[in-house]
Amino acid sequence: MEITTDVIKTLRDKTGVSVMQCKKALEEANGDLAQAEVILKKRSSAAAEKKAGRELGAGAIGTYTHDGAIGAMVLLSSETDFVAKNPEFGALAREIAMQVAATDPKYVSSEQISGDAKQAAVAVFEKETEGKPEDMKAKILEGKLASYFRDQVLLDQPFIKDESKTVRDLLNEATQKFGERVEVGGFSRLSAR
């Protein structure tokens, strides 16, 4: 299948990834747009993993207010000022602030969930697994805990503007796009309600 500039542009508009990366993904997928998207998502996760150990020395604060009653601030960190000052990086910080305002997460990542909070949830959900086969209890409990905490963990939440992606997916895509590690350094949410 011929890979036209229109197909490349369509993929670039959907993913925000460079023209060359889009072209390579389309070539690998024999021109199939859906397959090329999957290839780029897979690569964005791999790119984020490679850059995970890099030091974050810059960032931008994104803010969002809704009807003057709910507000959120997010620190989006990057490795360099060059990326932090990019308008697209600032726009991403604002998008994540909008996510925080809308969903009111409690944690950035699951690593921040305290042992006490996990134990309290386990105590509740263990009661719900009573009477289930022993070999299934652990899996059921794990699923219930993951579901319970998913809405409370910013990185695990479905993105409010595209529920096919999580906030973690957005950061992985940004890492691929900017060529640097991108991470949420923290957030704060205020509500007058």
Side-chain angles (χ1 to χ4, degrees):
M1 177 177 194
E2 184 184 347
I3 298 169
T4 65
T5 54
D6 288 340
V7 174
I8 294 171
K9 183 182 181 326
T10 300
L11 184 59
R12 187 180 189 321
D13 291 344
K14 279 181 142 182
T15 63
V17 177
S18 75
V19 171
M20 286 308 297
Q21 288 181 19
C22 288
K23 184 176 183 210
K24 286 178 185 175
L26 282 163
E27 287 171 352
E28 190 176 325
N30 295 320
D32 185 304
L33 198 59
Q35 283 184 19
E37 256 188 278
V38 171
I39 289 167
L40 288 174
K41 280 184 183 178
K42 192 172 98 180
R43 287 184 184 157
S44 70
S45 295
E49 280 181 40
K50 270 194 239 175
K51 294 170 174 53
R54 292 186 181 178
E55 188 173 327
L56 300 170
I61 294 178
T63 60
Y64 176 78
T65 57
H66 184 75
D67 294 337
I70 298 173
M73 291 180 19
V74 170
L75 170 60
L76 189 61
S77 301
S78 65
E79 295 173 39
T80 64
D81 277 343
F82 178 76
V83 168
K85 291 180 180 178
N86 183 312
E88 289 181 51
F89 187 83
L92 177 60
R94 184 177 188 283
E95 293 281 324
I96 296 172
M98 186 185 307
Q99 176 86 18
V100 168
T103 62
D104 193 17
K106 304 294 179 244
Y107 314 99
V108 172
S109 68
S110 56
E111 289 78 29
Q112 292 179 332
I113 301 170
S114 71
D116 290 344
K118 285 180 185 175
Q119 285 300 82
V122 166
V124 169
F125 294 126
E126 275 183 336
K127 290 176 186 168
E128 293 181 17
T129 64
E130 287 176 12
K132 303 288 182 191
E134 284 301 316
D135 58 336
M136 297 293 286
K137 280 185 179 181
K139 260 199 179 328
I140 293 169
L141 185 61
E142 185 180 314
K144 286 183 177 287
L145 288 171
S147 176
Y148 174 71
F149 284 115
R150 182 179 7 257
D151 293 338
Q152 298 178 45
V153 176
L154 177 64
L155 296 181
D156 294 339
Q157 291 179 342
F159 180 47
I160 57 174
K161 289 188 169 183
D162 180 357
E163 293 196 355
S164 71
K165 297 178 182 181
T166 63
V167 174
R168 178 178 279 106
D169 292 337
L170 290 180
L171 297 181
N172 288 345
E173 289 171 7
T175 295
Q176 183 180 27
K177 181 177 190 172
F178 297 118
E180 288 188 9
R181 181 174 162 215
V182 175
E183 191 173 284
V184 174
F187 65 82
S188 182
R189 182 184 187 272
L190 294 170
S191 175
R193 295 178 184 161

